[in-house]
Amino acid sequence: MSAILPPAERLWWKHPLDRVEGTWIVIAFVWCMILVFMMVFWHLYGRQNLSTETYATTADAFRTRAEAWAEKYTVRVDDTTGQPVVAPPEGGDAYIIARLWSFWPTLELEKGKTYRLHLSSLDYNHGFSLQPVNINIQVVPGYEHVVTVTPNQSGTYSIVCNEFCGIGHHTMVGRLYVK
Amino acid sequence: MSIATTYRTCPRSGLQFEAGAEKLIIANAVAAVVFLLIGGLLALGVALTRWPAVHWLQPDTFYQVLTAHGIDMLIFWIIFFEIAVLYFCSSTLLRCRLATPRIAWLAFALMLVGAIVNNYAVYKGGSSVMMTSYVPMMAEPSFYLGLILFAVGALVGCFVFFGTLVVAKRDKTYEGSVPLVTFGAITAAIIAVFTIASGAIILVPTWLLSLGVIDKVDPLIYRMIWWAFGHSSQQINVAAHVSIWYLVAAVVFGAKPMSERVSRGAFLLYILFLQLASAHHLLADPGLSTNWKVVNTSYFMYFAVLASMIHGLTVPGAMEVAQRQKGYTRGLYEWLRRAPWGNPTFSGVFIAIIGFGFLGGISGVMMGTEQLNMIIHNTIYVPGHFHATVVVGTTLTFMALTYYLIPTLFRREMINPGLARMQPYLFGFSMYFFCLVMMGAGTLGVSRRHWDMAFSGMPMAYEWPGAAYLMMGLVGISAVAAIAGGAIYIYVTVGSLLWGKRIDGGAASLSSKPTPLMAPAAVAQGYGSQGFAAPGTFLLAMVFLVAFILYYFVNWKYLSTVWGLS
């Protein structure tokens, strides 16, 4: 019962390893290095890396900017949602305001084109969970996160809030179109 | 210096219990089980609401119940039990008295009061902020105050543990180095100090914010420091339950560690790197650099993962070597077939080891990979993962240990041993299934902490695929089965304490000095010279590795199909 007794050998650290342990440590170590390598590799060659571009902001500043932008690029009002549908130009900025309990406005993007998506919250933490592609980004108040996105399939997408944000959390869902 | 106390030596196990330590171990373990009971009842509410066909509770009650379930299970049940384990691993295994028993009782009282204050705040309403309580969403001041009191109590408990190590060293109650299990407990206690300090650094300002004394706590800073508390507290569990695995291997099989150097080295890696995991929760956040994310999420360079992979081999490896020495040498797995599967202490631990590795370990690395996190963050995959680590890994291990402690520590015969025998299988396997279907639903994107996946009445409702509903139904069914398993555990343990036949636990000593252990004979105790001592375990480890590699690259493949992000 020696795991609950002091080691019998005083110089236990000099005891040689069994081959089972030695071999496994080498294999596990190599695998761990591969795990590190993959993250770096994907930054160099992968196409899905989360941007780190972030600015400190305030609820008022972000809302004012997003609303001015939306006014400029609104193309219609959505029948089902009642929200303005905003279609930004290729390579341009797109804004989504997360607040209790909605995402505003509805974006209309084009497949294969790239946009600079600005995300921030006006109140609590929210979750930007784009379905059904299943891309999930945390939205933190006071921080404007600029994520470059390139939709690769057209269709109607939903943005589900997946960070708990109070009693109306489960009603917080938005929409996004890709032409 | 000798203090008036008595010792008894348990005739079944040979363990020597000091009277003061024994009472404290019992008190902490009993408080733990009470919170497990509360948390288990709350689990029923969570499970029956997330099961779409049942959808039991109203939203306000659901979020309240979910908040309390998280805190009662992840903090109160586990940390109370861990304090009991710390006292056991110091006073009992080192055969000495517990340092400052009065202060240890003060620690217990603080923890108990804190836990009650926090629970009361949640049930009163106005504090349904989830366990994470991200600012600027605010709970009642008493919510934070309860947590702070509990944390201070736990911190004091850790220092009683450290003090006991000093007492043992000074009174020379053991020779040479501390036992491996105690070494693991020291690892857990060191991580606990870091964890609790982080908790204090962020919860004290948040408490002041809730009282209106200060006017801002930055939401991102809160997330980073809170997770140094929230995630690291789960790392205390890892160190504690791995220590118990070694303990159970020793008491059930008489197994020695394959090599002290390897196992202690792996614990050392935990001390050095395990705390970095705060980053796991921030990979989808703004404001943090890529370098920071890569270095921290990988525990520097996956050195803590390496440590867990080592323990995952050396614990069953030690069991295999012990069994082979008893003559179970036929084929690769006679040692395992002839293991005492009817002993819940063994079966619980073995089911915990396999589930922790295959389900909890592999899924943890997926979520902790910077880019893969984007297809997992805040989906129900996350609770799928941590139920595999904290419930299958830690809770099942603690349950298994309890079965061992009923006759030795509590001096009672177990009531209904037949129920106890099947309990780890019912609880363990239904939790395996629960975690798998939860991760399945998460892979389809289903959100965690969400009352209504149907978005009833919402014009923009998102319709989840049918498979997601099926998985969430299975989550509900397997959760109910697991809760039944938990209920059996509570019935057997509490029942044994109340109605179990008293058994002779050894007379109290007349002297207030502990009986020293006879010096162990200086024989070679590792297996270094035996060649390839545990081939069966090695093959199991290779199966694990292949599963790990396949699943890892399947996830990269999945990631490569989503929108381009840069």
Side-chain angles (χ1 to χ4, degrees):
Chain A
M1 303 216 309
S2 92
I4 60 171
L5 296 178
E9 243 175 320
R10 290 298 289 260
L11 302 180
W12 48 264
W13 57 88
K14 290 196 171 171
H15 197 87
L17 264 64
D18 185 87
R19 282 221 317 278
V20 167
E21 288 185 299
T23 315
W24 177 245
I25 291 171
V26 171
I27 293 171
F29 180 77
V30 169
W31 174 236
C32 289
M33 291 307 110
I34 293 172
L35 295 176
V36 182
F37 167 79
M38 272 307 291
M39 287 195 280
V40 178
F41 170 82
W42 203 262
H43 273 286
L44 298 175
Y45 299 102
R47 281 182 300 108
Q48 291 82 13
N49 287 289
L50 186 61
S51 149
T52 57
E53 188 178 344
T54 307
Y55 303 94
T57 187
T58 62
D60 284 339
F62 187 77
R63 190 180 53 219
T64 312
R65 210 140 34 83
E67 283 173 356
W69 161 86
E71 203 165 328
K72 196 162 155 196
Y73 296 110
T74 296
V75 288
R76 61 174 191 277
V77 172
D78 195 284
D79 302 333
T80 45
T81 69
Q83 281 193 352
V85 177
V86 187
E90 181 181 3
D93 294 308
Y95 286 80
I96 289 181
I97 296 176
R99 64 190 303 179
L100 300 171
W101 286 288
S102 67
F103 291 101
W104 186 93
T106 300
L107 291 182
E108 186 171 80
L109 309 178
E110 284 182 56
K111 181 181 158 183
K113 296 188 173 166
T114 299
Y115 304 88
R116 282 167 54 79
L117 179 61
H118 298 242
L119 295 170
S120 189
S121 160
L122 302 189
D123 32 58
Y124 295 165
N125 272 267
H126 294 289
F128 173 92
S129 178
L130 187 71
Q131 298 299 339
V133 272
N134 199 16
I135 293 172
N136 303 281
I137 302 170
Q138 186 80 17
V139 186
V140 182
Y143 292 90
E144 180 176 343
H145 194 180
V146 186
V147 184
T148 309
V149 296
T150 314
N152 60 3
Q153 263 187 324
S154 47
T156 301
Y157 293 86
S158 287
I159 305 164
V160 176
C161 178
N162 69 359
E163 182 58 78
F164 175 72
C165 55
I167 188 65
H169 165 53
H170 49 272
T171 64
M172 184 164 169
V173 56
R175 188 163 282 187
L176 190 154
Y177 298 105
V178 176
K179 280 205 290 196
Chain B
M1 185 180 68
S2 91
I3 295 210
T5 183
T6 58
Y7 293 82
R8 70 171 175 96
T9 301
C10 166
R12 302 174 168 230
S13 61
L15 294 170
Q16 180 177 260
F17 292 96
E18 188 245 340
E22 187 175 5
K23 289 195 191 80
L24 276 155
I25 297 171
I26 291 175
N28 280 284
V30 168
V33 172
V34 169
F35 282 98
L36 179 70
L37 170 65
I38 300 171
L41 292 171
L42 296 163
L44 203 58
V46 177
L48 292 180
T49 308
R50 293 238 50 176
W51 182 349
V54 181
H55 208 224
W56 180 36
L57 299 173
Q58 290 306 300
D60 53 343
T61 322
F62 170 73
Y63 291 129
Q64 196 174 15
V65 161
L66 185 53
T67 302
H69 169 69
I71 297 176
D72 282 342
M73 292 301 212
L74 283 167
I75 299 188
F76 301 148
W77 141 247
I78 281 177
I79 293 185
F80 267 121
F81 202 93
E82 275 161 357
I83 295 290
V85 169
L86 287 185
Y87 293 165
F88 178 87
C89 289
S90 53
S91 165
T92 310
L93 294 186
L94 297 179
R95 308 173 75 83
C96 68
R97 70 177 174 84
L98 195 75
T100 60
R102 286 208 186 115
I103 294 180
W105 281 110
L106 173 72
F108 176 73
L110 278 173
M111 288 167 72
L112 193 62
V113 170
I116 292 169
V117 167
N118 176 275
N119 263 267
Y120 179 68
V122 175
Y123 301 135
K124 199 169 58 145
S127 295
S128 302
V129 291
M130 301 294 138
M131 177 181 160
T132 45
S133 57
Y134 293 137
V135 296
M137 184 192 292
M138 295 308 292
E140 302 273 315
S142 56
F143 175 90
Y144 307 104
L145 182 64
L147 286 177
I148 293 168
L149 289 176
F150 182 86
V152 171
L155 190 62
V156 172
C158 289
F159 282 100
V160 170
F161 166 77
F162 292 128
T164 307
L165 299 180
V166 173
V167 169
K169 184 101 192 155
R170 191 194 53 201
D171 295 354
K172 298 195 173 54
T173 59
Y174 65 97
E175 278 187 39
S177 307
V178 296
L180 175 62
V181 174
T182 308
F183 190 82
I186 295 172
T187 305
I190 292 172
I191 298 173
V193 170
F194 169 87
T195 300
I196 296 166
S198 307
I201 290 171
I202 202 62
L203 286 173
V204 170
T206 309
W207 177 51
L208 296 176
L209 178 65
S210 71
L211 289 169
V213 178
I214 57 174
D215 54 283
K216 189 172 183 213
V217 172
D218 184 89
L220 201 53
I221 297 289
Y222 178 93
R223 285 172 56 77
M224 185 199 275
I225 303 178
W226 192 90
W227 277 114
F229 163 67
H231 200 107
S232 304
S233 66
Q234 310 318 311
Q235 317 290 24
I236 312 172
N237 306 342
V238 175
H241 75 225
V242 171
S243 306
I244 296 173
W245 294 349
Y246 282 112
L247 180 132
V248 167
V251 298
V252 173
F253 296 98
K256 306 161 183 168
M258 292 184 76
S259 98
E260 296 274 354
R261 179 164 55 151
V262 169
S263 299
R264 287 174 198 242
F267 275 124
L268 184 64
L269 289 177
Y270 279 166
I271 300 177
L272 295 177
F273 300 110
L274 214 48
Q275 293 90 337
L276 305 180
S278 167
H280 289 184
H281 304 264
L282 309 172
L283 297 176
D285 277 33
L288 298 159
S289 76
T290 298
N291 293 344
W292 188 91
K293 287 178 181 174
V294 169
V295 169
N296 285 280
T297 195
S298 63
Y299 305 104
F300 194 55
M301 289 193 296
Y302 286 104
F303 284 139
V305 171
L306 178 65
S308 286
M309 286 173 79
I310 292 172
H311 289 307
L313 176 93
T314 57
V315 176
M319 295 177 181
E320 176 173 356
V321 172
Q323 286 283 80
R324 283 180 184 276
Q325 289 195 331
K326 284 181 202 148
Y328 300 123
T329 51
R330 255 183 296 141
L332 277 176
Y333 289 111
E334 192 194 12
W335 66 274
L336 192 58
R337 279 198 308 277
R338 305 290 287 272
W341 291 101
N343 175 351
T345 303
F346 166 74
S347 64
V349 159
F350 205 84
I351 294 169
I353 293 173
I354 300 294
F356 181 76
F358 278 84
L359 298 171
I362 293 178
S363 64
V365 169
M366 297 312 133
M367 305 194 310
T369 300
E370 193 211 346
Q371 294 93 342
L372 296 180
N373 184 267
M374 283 189 290
I375 52 175
I376 298 175
H377 178 73
N378 271 353
T379 65
I380 204 156
Y381 190 102
V382 179
H385 155 74
F386 71 69
H387 281 80
T389 54
V390 175
V391 184
V392 177
T394 311
T395 298
L396 185 53
T397 299
F398 288 179
M399 287 173 168
L401 178 66
T402 317
Y403 293 126
Y404 174 72
L405 291 178
I406 288 174
T408 49
L409 173 69
F410 295 98
R411 292 182 258 181
R412 299 282 184 156
E413 212 161 79
M414 198 188 290
I415 60 161
N416 216 327
L419 265 183
R421 200 170 303 136
M422 53 82 75
Q423 191 271 340
Y425 296 94
L426 173 62
F427 186 75
F429 291 140
S430 49
M431 282 312 298
Y432 276 19
F433 188 71
F434 171 87
C435 296
L436 276 173
V437 286
M438 231 181 189
M439 291 184 220
T443 304
L444 295 170
V446 176
S447 315
R448 67 186 292 200
R449 296 173 166 178
H450 200 280
W451 177 69
D452 182 20
M453 68 187 287
F455 301 103
S456 318
M458 297 300 299
M460 286 191 271
Y462 172 63
E463 197 172 325
W464 297 99
Y469 278 94
L470 175 67
M471 299 269 195
M472 291 309 291
L474 294 173
V475 165
I477 294 169
S478 49
V480 171
I483 292 166
I488 292 174
Y489 164 78
I490 291 183
Y491 166 70
V492 171
T493 50
V494 176
S496 301
L497 254 57
L498 296 176
W499 313 299
K501 210 173 94 193
R502 273 176 207 280
I503 52 182
D504 175 30
S509 62
L510 297 172
S511 124
S512 52
K513 281 218 171 81
T515 325
L517 189 69
M518 298 223 278
V523 290
Q525 73 153 46
Y527 300 98
S529 45
Q530 289 198 353
F532 212 71
T537 304
F538 190 78
L539 183 65
L540 262 180
M542 293 310 290
V543 170
F544 169 78
L545 186 70
V546 170
F548 198 164
I549 293 172
L550 288 177
Y551 187 60
Y552 184 67
F553 287 108
V554 163
N555 274 288
W556 281 108
K557 175 79 187 138
Y558 173 21
L559 178 73
S560 73
T561 64
V562 309
W563 290 15
L565 292 150
S566 57

Short mmCIF file of all heavy atoms in Angstrom, two decimals, chain B residues 91-127:
data_model
loop_
_atom_site.label_atom_id
_atom_site.label_comp_id
_atom_site.label_asym_id
_atom_site.label_seq_id
_atom_site.Cartn_x
_atom_site.Cartn_y
_atom_site.Cartn_z
N SER B 91 -3.67 14.42 8.26
CA SER B 91 -3.67 13.84 9.60
C SER B 91 -3.67 12.31 9.57
O SER B 91 -2.87 11.67 10.27
CB SER B 91 -4.90 14.35 10.35
OG SER B 91 -5.12 13.56 11.48
N THR B 92 -4.53 11.71 8.77
CA THR B 92 -4.65 10.25 8.81
C THR B 92 -3.46 9.57 8.14
O THR B 92 -2.85 8.66 8.72
CB THR B 92 -5.97 9.81 8.15
OG1 THR B 92 -7.03 10.58 8.71
CG2 THR B 92 -6.24 8.34 8.36
N LEU B 93 -3.11 10.02 6.93
CA LEU B 93 -2.03 9.33 6.22
C LEU B 93 -0.67 9.61 6.83
O LEU B 93 0.24 8.78 6.76
CB LEU B 93 -2.04 9.71 4.74
CG LEU B 93 -3.26 9.25 3.95
CD1 LEU B 93 -3.07 9.55 2.47
CD2 LEU B 93 -3.52 7.76 4.14
N LEU B 94 -0.50 10.79 7.44
CA LEU B 94 0.79 11.08 8.07
C LEU B 94 0.78 10.69 9.55
O LEU B 94 1.75 10.91 10.26
CB LEU B 94 1.15 12.56 7.91
CG LEU B 94 1.34 13.03 6.46
CD1 LEU B 94 1.67 14.51 6.41
CD2 LEU B 94 2.43 12.23 5.77
N ARG B 95 -0.32 10.14 10.03
CA ARG B 95 -0.44 9.62 11.39
C ARG B 95 -0.11 10.68 12.45
O ARG B 95 0.63 10.41 13.39
CB ARG B 95 0.47 8.40 11.57
CG ARG B 95 0.26 7.34 10.50
CD ARG B 95 1.27 6.25 10.62
NE ARG B 95 0.97 5.37 11.75
CZ ARG B 95 0.11 4.37 11.71
NH1 ARG B 95 -0.55 4.12 10.60
NH2 ARG B 95 -0.10 3.61 12.77
N CYS B 96 -0.65 11.87 12.28
CA CYS B 96 -0.37 12.90 13.27
C CYS B 96 -1.68 13.60 13.63
O CYS B 96 -2.71 13.34 13.03
CB CYS B 96 0.62 13.92 12.72
SG CYS B 96 -0.06 14.92 11.42
N ARG B 97 -1.62 14.49 14.62
CA ARG B 97 -2.82 15.24 14.97
C ARG B 97 -3.03 16.35 13.95
O ARG B 97 -2.11 16.78 13.26
CB ARG B 97 -2.70 15.81 16.37
CG ARG B 97 -1.69 16.93 16.47
CD ARG B 97 -1.64 17.54 17.86
NE ARG B 97 -0.57 18.50 17.94
CZ ARG B 97 -0.69 19.77 17.54
NH1 ARG B 97 -1.81 20.22 17.03
NH2 ARG B 97 0.34 20.60 17.64
N LEU B 98 -4.27 16.84 13.88
CA LEU B 98 -4.58 17.96 13.00
C LEU B 98 -4.13 19.25 13.68
O LEU B 98 -4.35 19.43 14.88
CB LEU B 98 -6.09 18.01 12.75
CG LEU B 98 -6.52 18.89 11.59
CD1 LEU B 98 -6.21 18.22 10.27
CD2 LEU B 98 -8.00 19.19 11.69
N ALA B 99 -3.49 20.14 12.93
CA ALA B 99 -3.08 21.42 13.50
C ALA B 99 -4.31 22.26 13.81
O ALA B 99 -5.31 22.20 13.09
CB ALA B 99 -2.17 22.15 12.51
N THR B 100 -4.27 23.03 14.83
CA THR B 100 -5.28 24.04 15.20
C THR B 100 -6.73 23.61 14.91
O THR B 100 -7.41 24.21 14.09
CB THR B 100 -5.03 25.37 14.45
OG1 THR B 100 -5.10 25.13 13.05
CG2 THR B 100 -3.68 25.95 14.80
N PRO B 101 -7.19 22.57 15.63
CA PRO B 101 -8.56 22.10 15.35
C PRO B 101 -9.62 23.18 15.56
O PRO B 101 -10.62 23.19 14.84
CB PRO B 101 -8.74 20.94 16.33
CG PRO B 101 -7.63 21.03 17.30
CD PRO B 101 -6.52 21.75 16.63
N ARG B 102 -9.41 24.11 16.50
CA ARG B 102 -10.44 25.15 16.71
C ARG B 102 -10.56 26.02 15.47
O ARG B 102 -11.66 26.40 15.06
CB ARG B 102 -10.07 26.02 17.91
CG ARG B 102 -10.30 25.29 19.19
CD ARG B 102 -10.61 26.27 20.31
NE ARG B 102 -10.67 25.51 21.54
CZ ARG B 102 -9.82 25.66 22.55
NH1 ARG B 102 -8.88 26.58 22.49
NH2 ARG B 102 -9.93 24.91 23.62
N ILE B 103 -9.41 26.35 14.88
CA ILE B 103 -9.45 27.18 13.68
C ILE B 103 -10.08 26.39 12.53
O ILE B 103 -10.80 26.94 11.69
CB ILE B 103 -8.04 27.71 13.35
CG1 ILE B 103 -7.63 28.66 14.47
CG2 ILE B 103 -8.00 28.40 12.00
CD1 ILE B 103 -6.27 29.27 14.32
N ALA B 104 -9.84 25.08 12.53
CA ALA B 104 -10.47 24.25 11.50
C ALA B 104 -11.99 24.26 11.64
O ALA B 104 -12.72 24.27 10.65
CB ALA B 104 -9.94 22.83 11.59
N TRP B 105 -12.48 24.29 12.90
CA TRP B 105 -13.93 24.40 13.10
C TRP B 105 -14.44 25.77 12.67
O TRP B 105 -15.54 25.88 12.12
CB TRP B 105 -14.30 24.13 14.56
CG TRP B 105 -14.32 22.66 14.86
CD1 TRP B 105 -13.44 21.98 15.64
CD2 TRP B 105 -15.26 21.69 14.37
NE1 TRP B 105 -13.77 20.64 15.67
CE2 TRP B 105 -14.88 20.44 14.90
CE3 TRP B 105 -16.36 21.75 13.53
CZ2 TRP B 105 -15.57 19.26 14.61
CZ3 TRP B 105 -17.06 20.59 13.25
CH2 TRP B 105 -16.66 19.35 13.78
N LEU B 106 -13.63 26.81 12.92
CA LEU B 106 -14.01 28.15 12.45
C LEU B 106 -14.14 28.15 10.93
O LEU B 106 -15.08 28.70 10.36
CB LEU B 106 -12.96 29.17 12.92
CG LEU B 106 -13.14 30.58 12.36
CD1 LEU B 106 -14.36 31.24 13.01
CD2 LEU B 106 -11.90 31.43 12.58
N ALA B 107 -13.16 27.51 10.26
CA ALA B 107 -13.21 27.42 8.80
C ALA B 107 -14.49 26.74 8.36
O ALA B 107 -15.19 27.19 7.44
CB ALA B 107 -11.99 26.65 8.28
N PHE B 108 -14.82 25.64 9.04
CA PHE B 108 -16.03 24.89 8.70
C PHE B 108 -17.27 25.78 8.87
O PHE B 108 -18.16 25.82 8.01
CB PHE B 108 -16.13 23.65 9.58
CG PHE B 108 -17.39 22.87 9.37
CD1 PHE B 108 -17.57 22.12 8.22
CD2 PHE B 108 -18.40 22.88 10.32
CE1 PHE B 108 -18.74 21.40 8.01
CE2 PHE B 108 -19.58 22.17 10.12
CZ PHE B 108 -19.74 21.42 8.97
N ALA B 109 -17.29 26.53 9.99
CA ALA B 109 -18.45 27.39 10.26
C ALA B 109 -18.58 28.47 9.19
O ALA B 109 -19.67 28.74 8.68
CB ALA B 109 -18.32 28.02 11.64
N LEU B 110 -17.45 29.08 8.81
CA LEU B 110 -17.48 30.11 7.77
C LEU B 110 -18.02 29.55 6.46
O LEU B 110 -18.83 30.17 5.77
CB LEU B 110 -16.07 30.66 7.54
CG LEU B 110 -15.57 31.73 8.49
CD1 LEU B 110 -14.10 32.02 8.22
CD2 LEU B 110 -16.39 33.01 8.31
N MET B 111 -17.53 28.36 6.12
CA MET B 111 -17.97 27.75 4.86
C MET B 111 -19.46 27.46 4.90
O MET B 111 -20.19 27.71 3.93
CB MET B 111 -17.19 26.46 4.60
CG MET B 111 -15.73 26.70 4.22
SD MET B 111 -14.74 25.19 4.28
CE MET B 111 -15.35 24.31 2.85
N LEU B 112 -19.90 26.93 6.03
CA LEU B 112 -21.31 26.57 6.14
C LEU B 112 -22.20 27.81 6.07
O LEU B 112 -23.19 27.86 5.33
CB LEU B 112 -21.54 25.80 7.44
CG LEU B 112 -22.88 25.10 7.55
CD1 LEU B 112 -23.02 24.06 6.46
CD2 LEU B 112 -23.02 24.43 8.92
N VAL B 113 -21.82 28.85 6.84
CA VAL B 113 -22.61 30.08 6.83
C VAL B 113 -22.60 30.68 5.43
O VAL B 113 -23.65 31.08 4.89
CB VAL B 113 -22.05 31.09 7.86
CG1 VAL B 113 -22.69 32.45 7.69
CG2 VAL B 113 -22.26 30.56 9.28
N GLY B 114 -21.42 30.72 4.81
CA GLY B 114 -21.33 31.28 3.45
C GLY B 114 -22.22 30.54 2.47
O GLY B 114 -22.95 31.15 1.68
N ALA B 115 -22.20 29.22 2.55
CA ALA B 115 -23.00 28.42 1.62
C ALA B 115 -24.49 28.68 1.85
O ALA B 115 -25.27 28.80 0.89
CB ALA B 115 -22.67 26.93 1.80
N ILE B 116 -24.89 28.80 3.10
CA ILE B 116 -26.31 29.03 3.39
C ILE B 116 -26.72 30.43 2.93
O ILE B 116 -27.77 30.61 2.31
CB ILE B 116 -26.59 28.82 4.90
CG1 ILE B 116 -26.42 27.33 5.25
CG2 ILE B 116 -27.99 29.29 5.26
CD1 ILE B 116 -26.42 27.03 6.73
N VAL B 117 -25.88 31.43 3.22
CA VAL B 117 -26.20 32.80 2.81
C VAL B 117 -26.35 32.88 1.30
O VAL B 117 -27.29 33.47 0.76
CB VAL B 117 -25.11 33.78 3.31
CG1 VAL B 117 -25.24 35.14 2.64
CG2 VAL B 117 -25.17 33.93 4.83
N ASN B 118 -25.41 32.25 0.58
CA ASN B 118 -25.48 32.28 -0.87
C ASN B 118 -26.73 31.58 -1.39
O ASN B 118 -27.43 32.09 -2.26
CB ASN B 118 -24.22 31.64 -1.46
CG ASN B 118 -24.28 31.55 -2.96
OD1 ASN B 118 -24.82 30.61 -3.52
ND2 ASN B 118 -23.74 32.56 -3.63
N ASN B 119 -27.03 30.40 -0.84
CA ASN B 119 -28.23 29.67 -1.27
C ASN B 119 -29.48 30.49 -1.00
O ASN B 119 -30.36 30.58 -1.85
CB ASN B 119 -28.32 28.33 -0.54
CG ASN B 119 -27.76 27.19 -1.37
OD1 ASN B 119 -28.49 26.52 -2.08
ND2 ASN B 119 -26.46 27.00 -1.29
N TYR B 120 -29.51 31.11 0.17
CA TYR B 120 -30.68 31.91 0.52
C TYR B 120 -30.86 33.06 -0.47
O TYR B 120 -31.97 33.32 -0.95
CB TYR B 120 -30.55 32.43 1.96
CG TYR B 120 -31.71 33.28 2.38
CD1 TYR B 120 -32.98 32.71 2.57
CD2 TYR B 120 -31.57 34.65 2.57
CE1 TYR B 120 -34.06 33.49 2.93
CE2 TYR B 120 -32.65 35.43 2.94
CZ TYR B 120 -33.90 34.86 3.12
OH TYR B 120 -34.96 35.63 3.46
N ALA B 121 -29.74 33.71 -0.84
CA ALA B 121 -29.82 34.82 -1.79
C ALA B 121 -30.42 34.35 -3.11
O ALA B 121 -31.23 35.05 -3.72
CB ALA B 121 -28.43 35.42 -2.01
N VAL B 122 -30.02 33.16 -3.55
CA VAL B 122 -30.53 32.67 -4.84
C VAL B 122 -32.01 32.33 -4.74
O VAL B 122 -32.81 32.72 -5.59
CB VAL B 122 -29.71 31.46 -5.32
CG1 VAL B 122 -30.32 30.88 -6.60
CG2 VAL B 122 -28.26 31.84 -5.54
N TYR B 123 -32.42 31.65 -3.66
CA TYR B 123 -33.83 31.23 -3.56
C TYR B 123 -34.76 32.40 -3.33
O TYR B 123 -35.93 32.35 -3.67
CB TYR B 123 -34.01 30.18 -2.46
CG TYR B 123 -33.17 28.96 -2.67
CD1 TYR B 123 -32.45 28.37 -1.64
CD2 TYR B 123 -33.07 28.39 -3.95
CE1 TYR B 123 -31.67 27.26 -1.86
CE2 TYR B 123 -32.28 27.29 -4.17
CZ TYR B 123 -31.57 26.72 -3.13
OH TYR B 123 -30.77 25.65 -3.35
N LYS B 124 -34.22 33.45 -2.71
CA LYS B 124 -35.04 34.63 -2.44
C LYS B 124 -35.43 35.32 -3.75
O LYS B 124 -36.42 36.05 -3.82
CB LYS B 124 -34.23 35.59 -1.57
CG LYS B 124 -35.03 36.62 -0.83
CD LYS B 124 -34.14 37.30 0.18
CE LYS B 124 -32.96 37.93 -0.53
NZ LYS B 124 -32.47 39.18 0.03
N GLY B 125 -34.66 35.09 -4.80
CA GLY B 125 -34.90 35.76 -6.08
C GLY B 125 -33.98 36.96 -6.20
O GLY B 125 -33.40 37.42 -5.21
N GLY B 126 -33.83 37.48 -7.40
CA GLY B 126 -32.98 38.64 -7.60
C GLY B 126 -31.51 38.31 -7.72
O GLY B 126 -30.68 39.20 -7.85
N SER B 127 -31.17 37.03 -7.65
CA SER B 127 -29.77 36.65 -7.84
C SER B 127 -29.63 35.52 -8.84
O SER B 127 -28.72 34.71 -8.75
CB SER B 127 -29.14 36.24 -6.51
OG SER B 127 -29.08 37.34 -5.64
#
